[in-house]
Amino acid sequence: MGVITLENEFAVAVAPAKLFKAYCLETDTLLPKILPEHIKSSDIVEGNGGPGTIRKITFAEGKDLSYAKQKIEAIDEENLTYSFSLIEGSVWKDAVEKVTYEHKFVPTPEGGSICKRTSTYYIKGDAEINKDQIKDVYGKKTAGLFKAVEAYFLANPDA
């Protein structure tokens, strides 16, 4: 099994604690509200929201994915770190065993955040994945997600 590791940074004009809360703690209510054209629902199917919890995200019709299941690996509200694994979904199902995402939210001097993300792709057997495609496609999708969260909080500062 091969492993591909990528690192990204996403700048967001939202304070780290608020971004962490939205992205990590209130995913099930906020993301479908912020991105209804992409995310139909997000629900905990096993667990209580802490490590070991399984979340199912159902995407809107017509998207590349119909659903994905995530397993929360670690969550640290004090240090604003969060990691989860994508354990089930139709993307690369024949080539990827799982993908683990580790996030750290740090402040910027302007009062916003940088989300530092390390993505580790565990490749099945001899399967091959285009690292540049992962970086391009999923980096852009995540950047778009953070920009939507940013726009929501800029339009709703008391949310």
Side-chain angles (χ1 to χ4, degrees):
M1 171 177 11
V3 176
I4 296 173
T5 301
L6 301 171
E7 294 187 5
N8 300 86
E9 289 189 0
F10 305 97
V12 185
V14 176
K18 194 171 203 174
L19 184 60
F20 179 85
K21 184 177 178 185
Y23 185 75
C24 307
L25 303 178
E26 296 180 353
T27 300
D28 299 327
T29 55
L30 274 180
L31 291 185
K33 181 178 180 178
I34 294 171
L35 292 163
E37 67 280 7
H38 297 286
I39 299 174
K40 183 176 178 180
S41 64
S42 179
D43 302 293
I44 290 176
V45 294
E46 182 180 314
N48 62 2
T53 294
I54 307 293
R55 169 181 286 120
K56 181 179 180 183
I57 299 172
T58 304
F59 296 96
E61 289 185 33
K63 297 297 171 191
D64 296 339
L65 283 173
S66 57
Y67 78 96
K69 283 190 179 176
Q70 301 175 343
K71 178 181 179 184
I72 297 173
E73 303 291 350
I75 190 162
D76 184 339
E77 292 182 55
E78 185 176 323
N79 293 304
L80 303 179
T81 61
Y82 177 69
S83 65
F84 68 87
S85 294
L86 179 64
I87 58 170
E88 190 177 315
S90 57
V91 66
W92 297 315
K93 63 183 175 186
D94 297 327
V96 176
E97 183 70 34
K98 74 174 182 175
V99 184
T100 300
Y101 300 96
E102 298 174 11
H103 303 81
K104 171 120 180 104
F105 299 84
V106 297
T108 64
E110 300 81 21
S113 307
I114 299 287
C115 174
K116 298 180 177 190
R117 181 176 78 172
T118 301
S119 308
T120 307
Y121 292 74
Y122 297 88
I123 312 302
K124 291 181 181 177
D126 300 357
E128 291 188 25
I129 296 292
N130 182 325
K131 185 175 180 176
D132 292 330
Q133 181 184 16
I134 293 171
K135 197 174 201 175
D136 185 48
V137 173
Y138 287 91
K140 286 181 181 175
K141 286 185 179 192
T142 303
L145 167 73
F146 281 121
K147 287 301 172 192
V149 170
E150 176 184 81
Y152 173 78
F153 282 116
L154 291 176
N156 303 282
D158 296 327

